[in-house]
Amino acid sequence: MTTTAMLRAFCDAVEQRNGRAFADLFTEDGVYHDVFYGAFAGRDKIAAMVDDFFYRTATDFRWDMHDPVSNGTTLYARYTFSYKSTLPEANGARAMFEGVAIMTLRDGKIVSYHEVANTAPAFVDLKFAPERIAKIVGKQGAELRARPEMKRHLA
């Protein structure tokens, strides 16, 4: 499968609420590190993340990957991601954010997925109170700062 085809299958599986198809893009021991929900290890948990976690408070997902770059073992792609929130305070608003997907690959499968995303605008779109946004963004910043590979960049 080409990189472009894999990324389209990745996005399509989320948009179609097909956790199994999404998980099949990963190795058996693959890990998806979600910017909101944390790490999901193994295909069963990755499938549940899409089917249960993503769709718990959202619907009508749209995900597009742009400008992929890969050396065969690492893949980077800029993305745009949006969904309609079903949270009461969002009143059906569409949240949108941009980010960068970072994937480690082995034998044409994803071993690990990480992302860096600017989530704050999405929370504004969802009409979250400023105090709630500050708490969420502060937690995400602390988690990012705790990652060993980020320490040299933040020093």
Side-chain angles (χ1 to χ4, degrees), residues 133-151:
I133 295 171
K135 182 177 178 182
I136 293 168
V137 173
K139 179 182 176 207
Q140 289 174 346
E143 290 169 357
L144 184 62
R145 287 187 296 278
R147 289 176 42 191
E149 67 270 24
M150 295 305 295
K151 290 193 180 194

Side-chain angles (χ1 to χ4, degrees), residues 45-126:
K45 289 186 179 173
I46 292 169
M49 175 194 67
V50 170
D51 293 338
D52 301 331
F53 283 81
F54 281 15
Y55 280 84
R56 183 177 295 164
T57 59
T59 188
D60 192 22
F61 286 84
R62 295 182 192 149
W63 201 343
D64 290 298
M65 298 283 183
H66 312 279
D67 306 319
V69 176
S70 179
N71 65 4
T73 58
T74 305
L75 168 62
Y76 297 94
R78 185 176 56 82
Y79 69 79
T80 51
F81 182 80
S82 70
Y83 56 87
K84 277 190 182 174
S85 177
T86 59
L87 293 169
E89 66 266 38
N91 199 26
R94 176 165 288 283
M96 193 284 289
F97 55 93
E98 295 179 292
V100 175
I102 306 155
M103 300 178 208
T104 303
L105 307 173
R106 181 176 67 227
D107 300 325
K109 299 280 187 183
I110 303 165
V111 177
S112 70
Y113 172 94
H114 287 85
E115 59 190 350
V116 178
N118 182 5
T119 58
F123 297 133
V124 172
D125 293 341
L126 296 176

Side-chain angles (χ1 to χ4, degrees), residues 10 14 17-20 22-23 26 31-56 61 63 113 115:
F10 183 98
V14 171
R17 195 177 187 171
N18 189 341
R20 182 50 49 203
F22 187 80
F26 287 76
V31 181
Y32 185 104
H33 299 269
D34 185 73
V35 72
F36 292 115
Y37 298 115
F40 293 80
R43 288 183 177 155
D44 288 342
K45 289 186 179 173
I46 292 169
M49 175 194 67
V50 170
D51 293 338
D52 301 331
F53 283 81
F54 281 15
Y55 280 84
R56 183 177 295 164
F61 286 84
W63 201 343
Y113 172 94
E115 59 190 350

